[in-house]
Amino acid sequence: MAQAWRCSGLRWSSRGPELAWVGGRRSALTWGKRVAFGVAEGGVRTCVGARGHACPLRAAVAGRSTGARCDQCARLDRAHSVAADTLADDPRPYHVYLAWFGPGRAKVGITALERGSARLLEQGAICFGWLGRGPLMAARRAEELLRAALGVPDRVPYAEKRAVRSALPGTAAERAAELAELHARAVALGGWPEALTPEPFRPVDHVGVFGLAGVPDAIGEVTELVPGGTVSGELVAAAGPDLHLATRGGVVVLDTRLLAGWHLVPAEGEGTAVPVRAYRAAPGTQDGLF
């Protein structure tokens, strides 16, 4: 029987995207690499637990869940979370940023200074720029100021991010234009927290990092894995948690968050046999799973 692996998600490092596996092993992903795996017949997707602890119930979770957690573990995972505003006393400095995912899709957010741009890579930001840096609560107040005064959201759904990737402008300057305007409007606002140090607009473009230049438009996206199902394709791009895989029918997007909680096995052949939502009519012992 083939060895089974449990994926813990996609990670971004200085080397590019990597799939992480329970136990600590990682698989580097490079353009042109064949990604192929399956779920064994009779497989069940189970909760991945929270904050380094296994789920006490080993609860089953839905195939379409991107969180891969039961309700109890999802609540625990958000406890003591910056995103949930339960870490007001966090002493680390934070960056406030503006991120752009495509035409009309920008957001404001914060990330710990020590993380650098990792958060922006994880979110699939096509380009971004820093607005300022300072204590957590000052960063939070600046984030709220932009949401209220400029109507900039703090979240962009992944479905919207994927929808606009096919409409990206051709140059870095064009891709940064919307952010440049938002940055100028933001720094002109009154009421900025005094503890926040403003930063000049220096856009960072991720099209090259993500491998999106010249990639054919995706024809659809995987909606869930299923027992007995397989995914196979050539990696042509990756953005945030998404892998863009070239299959016989066209490029399909796989959100790697859908892999968590499954036991995955190597797959042979070229077929992809899992539910896919179409965007339009479709024209032995191993060191790792891939």
Side-chain angles (χ1 to χ4, degrees), residues 10 15-19 27-35 209-211 233-238 243-245 290:
L10 189 67
R15 298 178 297 276
E18 301 173 330
L19 280 175
S27 300
L29 297 173
T30 55
W31 314 141
K33 185 182 185 75
R34 180 173 174 266
V35 176
V209 176
F210 291 157
E234 176 187 326
L235 182 67
V236 293
L243 302 183
H244 289 235
L245 303 175
F290 302 140

Side-chain angles (χ1 to χ4, degrees), residues 6-235:
R6 294 193 73 188
C7 182
S8 58
L10 189 67
R11 305 287 185 267
W12 285 90
S13 72
S14 59
R15 298 178 297 276
E18 301 173 330
L19 280 175
W21 305 96
V22 173
R25 191 181 299 276
R26 294 197 176 191
S27 300
L29 297 173
T30 55
W31 314 141
K33 185 182 185 75
R34 180 173 174 266
V35 176
F37 63 87
V39 178
E41 292 284 357
V44 176
R45 191 185 191 197
T46 55
C47 174
V48 296
R51 308 188 71 79
H53 300 284
C55 175
L57 304 176
R58 292 191 55 80
V61 293
R64 298 195 175 204
S65 166
T66 54
R69 290 184 173 91
C70 66
D71 291 343
Q72 179 177 319
C73 288
R75 286 193 297 271
L76 177 61
D77 189 62
R78 285 186 63 80
H80 308 294
S81 164
V82 170
D85 279 335
T86 58
L87 279 181
D89 59 347
D90 187 342
R92 296 177 299 170
Y94 276 77
H95 259 139
V96 184
Y97 64 81
L98 286 169
W100 186 85
F101 302 92
R105 298 294 184 275
K107 63 158 282 188
V108 61
I110 68 172
T111 185
L113 204 70
E114 65 190 30
R115 297 208 67 210
S117 61
R119 181 65 178 149
L120 287 306
L121 291 166
E122 292 166 357
Q123 291 183 7
I126 301 302
C127 65
F128 78 93
W130 303 124
L131 268 170
R133 59 183 174 181
L136 172 59
M137 296 315 294
R140 272 289 187 223
R141 287 195 296 272
E143 183 184 39
E144 289 299 321
L145 176 65
L146 266 65
R147 290 175 58 192
L150 301 183
V152 183
D154 63 353
R155 289 179 177 81
V156 175
Y158 275 100
E160 295 183 17
K161 296 177 186 179
R162 297 177 189 123
V164 294
R165 278 185 203 146
S166 62
L168 298 178
T171 69
E174 290 174 312
R175 292 190 289 271
E178 210 173 321
L179 280 190
E181 180 184 354
L182 276 175
H183 188 280
R185 293 172 59 198
V187 298
L189 291 171
W192 275 86
E194 292 183 3
L196 200 72
T197 302
E199 298 205 19
F201 183 60
R202 297 191 181 99
V204 178
D205 192 271
H206 285 156
V207 163
V209 176
F210 291 157
L212 290 171
V215 170
D217 294 346
I219 62 166
E221 64 185 70
V222 174
T223 57
E224 63 180 315
L225 302 188
V226 293
T230 58
V231 172
S232 178
E234 176 187 326
L235 182 67

